[in-house]
Amino acid sequence: MKMYRPIYSKCVLLLIAILSITACSVQKTGSPAEFEALTNKVVNGDTLRIEMDAAYPLNTYASQQVIQQLMRNTGDTANRIDLTGDGHFLEIHPDMVKANLPFFGERRQGAGYNNPQDSGINFEQAPEDYLYTVDNEAYKYEIEFDANDKTENYDVDVVVFANGKATVYVRSTTRTVMQYQGRVVSTNDSKE
């Protein structure tokens, strides 16, 4: 039995080394051609339209319990809500940003739950503090901007990958953080 211990130890060390190397590597999220097409869109200032597929609200434990009961047998959970086909979107252009996003989190202050026009995250304006950065290693762009509506301010962070997937984070002055997953679509093919 002691004869197998050195072999077992070496196999475990080799496995740990392989996992460490692969965990530290940068995973590319698309092909070079896809990244070049995305780069042309972002650098040329074309409109990026992201249609949302899922929402991930950040709720307290008490709210999660209530939402979980309300969403029983719907296929959704308090932590992930399917938005596929609902028409929710974010359009980004250096001169104009437009959003129609649902909100499933908690309001920290202020009103608006009784007004269906005010319950989501909606804005259409010139972005404030628009900034984009490129990650050539991972084939992605990070876009940041600020927006507001009549009653609150939004800090929006968008990560767009070369394969067309996107993650959107929206922080508000009066609501909990929302995360959305979506995909970049052609502005010619989209519909509101």
Side-chain angles (χ1 to χ4, degrees):
M1 182 118 173
K2 289 189 177 190
M3 187 167 73
Y4 294 110
R5 192 169 282 178
I7 294 173
Y8 177 74
S9 299
K10 289 179 184 179
C11 289
V12 169
L13 287 174
L14 181 63
L15 181 64
I16 290 172
I18 290 172
L19 290 175
S20 297
I21 291 170
T22 57
C24 295
S25 68
V26 175
Q27 182 177 355
K28 297 198 184 290
T29 54
S31 68
E34 290 172 321
F35 185 62
E36 185 177 341
L38 177 63
T39 299
N40 290 338
K41 276 188 152 194
V42 173
V43 172
N44 293 337
D46 293 345
T47 299
L48 286 177
R49 182 179 173 99
I50 303 168
E51 292 189 355
M52 302 307 164
D53 294 326
Y56 299 90
L58 177 65
N59 292 313
T60 61
Y61 179 74
S63 292
Q64 284 182 356
Q65 296 306 307
V66 172
I67 293 169
Q68 201 67 19
Q69 291 300 316
L70 292 172
M71 294 190 169
R72 186 182 306 167
N73 300 326
T74 64
D76 295 324
T77 67
N79 297 324
R80 184 189 186 281
I81 299 164
D82 186 27
L83 302 176
T84 306
D86 289 347
H88 298 292
F89 68 91
L90 173 67
E91 283 187 1
I92 305 168
H93 187 274
D95 299 328
M96 178 65 69
V97 290
K98 185 176 180 181
N100 175 8
L101 301 170
F103 180 73
F104 298 102
E106 298 176 34
R107 277 203 182 257
R108 299 281 166 94
Q109 54 182 294
Y113 280 120
N114 297 329
N115 182 358
Q117 308 300 333
D118 191 29
S119 61
I121 298 172
N122 300 298
F123 53 81
E124 183 174 359
Q125 69 175 80
E128 301 170 18
D129 301 327
Y130 180 87
L131 173 70
Y132 72 86
T133 55
V134 62
D135 184 344
N136 290 315
E137 295 288 319
Y139 291 166
K140 69 179 180 180
Y141 275 87
E142 295 180 19
I143 302 169
E144 302 172 18
F145 62 89
D146 295 332
N148 58 53
D149 63 13
K150 295 172 253 169
T151 59
E152 61 189 305
N153 299 319
Y154 303 106
D155 178 21
V156 181
D157 295 321
V158 181
V159 181
V160 182
F161 301 96
N163 63 4
K165 303 284 185 188
T167 303
V168 178
Y169 301 94
V170 180
R171 285 177 286 292
S172 166
T173 53
T174 62
R175 309 178 196 213
T176 55
V177 176
M178 283 291 296
Q179 176 185 340
Y180 302 92
Q181 294 288 327
R183 57 197 151 49
V184 176
V185 297
S186 170
T187 52
N188 299 333
D189 298 339
S190 63
K191 52 187 171 185
E192 287 184 39

